[in-house]
Amino acid sequence: GLPDLPRPAENPPATEALPETLTLEASVGTLLHRCLELLAGRDLSKWDTDRITGQMPVYSRWLRQHGHGEAAAAQGAAVVVAALQTTLASPAGRWLLAAHDEDGAEQAWTSRDGASAVNHVIDRIFVADGERWIIDYKTARLPEAELPQRAASYRPQLERYARLFADDPLPLRAAIFFPMQGSLVELPLA
């Protein structure tokens, strides 16, 4: 597997906190990120509803290993399965997970901030139709109507990522993907 890389603060990996301090929601977010990372660029036709549902015991075990009790782990695994099914049933989800040029998942980038290096981990990045897309995943239990406002709150993070590509000749587009709703919300960059 890949080494543990710095994560957005909203989805801290279990290694950074004692299991009892990590909420089920945070663990579900981390697990969902890992699943989406594994699906990115793969043949999605092999991942039908039954195969995803079949992963439930694996996800439940992972959550138990990260400090959650039996009932919480089962509940969290069901949330992850539902989010993956929603993602794969949505045109936006299938599009962003499909293989693209120059694509990467959970890629680490470093920028300089004065004398210190700052690490950034971009959930999904690729080139489609001559444009570079930067996409961040956010697990939020919100009604569809509230997603644009929630996405807008992440604009500073996406603009930070966009600055990494300031010298890129390709047009840059940025969006937040909400796997639980299968919704991609584009944020126009300044």
Side-chain angles (χ1 to χ4, degrees), residues 20-37:
E20 55 270 22
T21 66
L22 203 63
T23 66
L24 181 62
E25 201 171 337
S27 292
V28 163
T30 298
L31 180 54
L32 196 45
H33 270 74
R34 294 210 173 147
C35 293
L36 291 169
E37 176 188 353

Side-chain angles (χ1 to χ4, degrees), residues 36 41 48 81 118 127 185:
L36 291 169
D48 59 10
V81 164
V118 181
V127 173
V185 180

Side-chain angles (χ1 to χ4, degrees), residues 31-106:
L31 180 54
L32 196 45
H33 270 74
R34 294 210 173 147
C35 293
L36 291 169
E37 176 188 353
L38 291 171
L39 287 173
R42 300 277 155 74
D43 178 0
L44 298 179
S45 66
K46 294 191 168 89
W47 285 91
D48 59 10
T49 305
D50 291 343
R51 183 167 180 193
I52 291 170
T53 305
Q55 297 297 303
M56 189 101 69
V58 177
Y59 300 155
S60 186
R61 184 168 58 245
W62 188 93
L63 290 164
R64 285 197 311 276
Q65 287 168 346
H66 288 78
H68 301 286
E70 197 80 33
Q75 179 195 349
V79 169
V80 171
V81 164
L84 291 173
Q85 289 177 342
T86 298
T87 294
L88 290 175
S90 76
R94 295 189 76 81
W95 174 75
L96 75 87
L97 289 174
H100 294 282
D101 291 339
E102 296 183 42
D103 73 357
E106 301 292 329

Side-chain angles (χ1 to χ4, degrees), residues 157-176:
Q157 180 184 357
L158 285 176
E159 286 177 344
R160 230 179 15 257
Y161 294 164
R163 284 196 290 277
L164 297 169
F165 299 92
D167 299 331
D168 190 335
L170 293 177
L172 201 56
R173 293 177 75 176
I176 299 290

Side-chain angles (χ1 to χ4, degrees), residues 138-171:
K138 297 295 180 192
T139 47
R141 292 174 197 257
L142 290 173
E144 193 86 27
E146 293 176 29
L147 296 180
Q149 189 179 351
R150 175 61 68 93
S153 72
Y154 299 113
R155 181 184 303 280
Q157 180 184 357
L158 285 176
E159 286 177 344
R160 230 179 15 257
Y161 294 164
R163 284 196 290 277
L164 297 169
F165 299 92
D167 299 331
D168 190 335
L170 293 177

